[in-house]
Amino acid sequence: MRVLVIHGPNLNLLGERQPEIYGRQTLGEINDFITASAREMGVEVDCVQHNAEGPIIDAIHNARNVYDAIVINPGAYAHYSYAIADALASVPVPAIEVHLSNIAARETHRRTSVTAAACNGSISGFGPFSYVLAVRAALKTQGN
Ligand code: DQA
């Protein structure tokens, strides 16, 4: 099984960006953690990060016929990008939304995710482990 992990805007700065909220691990360290944890589940992952909406949409489109599932942390786009929500709804690839922080417990504008509605489900609040839970959920979408 192959899973595409998409990290959205500002997640390239993990480790130095608001560590009290997002932790001290860099994106590279988190990607290594996801990759190793996924391997234990027999899942191969590719991780990409984009700061802009267009490349995220392209990555979702290009996942067709290549990946069995998408794990996506849309960053702030989760709260207002109908274009990313439409992209997720436009491809027949199951998707799981991830957030490091518990968006339900944060500022009002973060409590809604328009992109999560276009996903099979979402996981929020477990730091980097959110991604590992999402990979496990991706397996579930394949009946495993
Ligand atoms: C985030 C939550 C978003 O509200 C925020 O804009 C991010 C990170 C998270 O992983 O907790 O960039 O998606």
Side-chain angles (χ1 to χ4, degrees):
M1 180 179 178
R2 295 187 72 191
V3 172
L4 177 64
V5 177
I6 303 174
H7 303 283
N10 302 305
L11 297 171
N12 55 309
L13 294 184
L14 286 174
E16 55 184 284
R17 172 194 181 197
Q18 296 178 284
E20 68 285 3
I21 298 173
Y22 299 117
R24 296 206 174 270
Q25 282 186 281
T26 65
L27 186 61
E29 289 166 347
I30 291 172
N31 283 340
D32 287 347
F33 174 58
I34 300 166
T35 304
S37 303
R39 195 176 296 131
E40 287 173 14
M41 296 182 233
V43 176
E44 191 186 321
V45 298
D46 288 322
C47 302
V48 297
Q49 189 273 329
H50 298 292
N51 283 323
E53 198 172 28
I56 293 173
I57 292 168
D58 289 338
I60 293 167
H61 293 176
N62 294 335
R64 274 151 47 237
N65 304 316
V66 178
Y67 294 97
D68 301 298
I70 293 169
V71 167
I72 182 166
N73 182 346
Y77 282 134
H79 312 305
Y80 66 94
S81 177
Y82 295 104
I84 291 175
D86 282 352
L88 289 164
S90 298
V91 299
V93 185
I96 294 101
E97 179 159 310
V98 162
H99 295 280
L100 293 155
S101 62
N102 180 4
I103 58 171
R106 296 188 62 193
E107 305 98 305
T108 314
H109 71 275
R110 295 187 202 277
R111 291 183 197 162
T112 299
S113 170
V114 300
T115 49
C119 292
N120 295 56
S122 58
I123 296 162
S124 171
F126 297 98
F129 195 58
S130 291
Y131 290 94
V132 176
L133 293 170
V135 171
R136 182 64 189 83
L139 264 175
K140 175 75 176 157
T141 66
Q142 311 296 297
N144 296 303

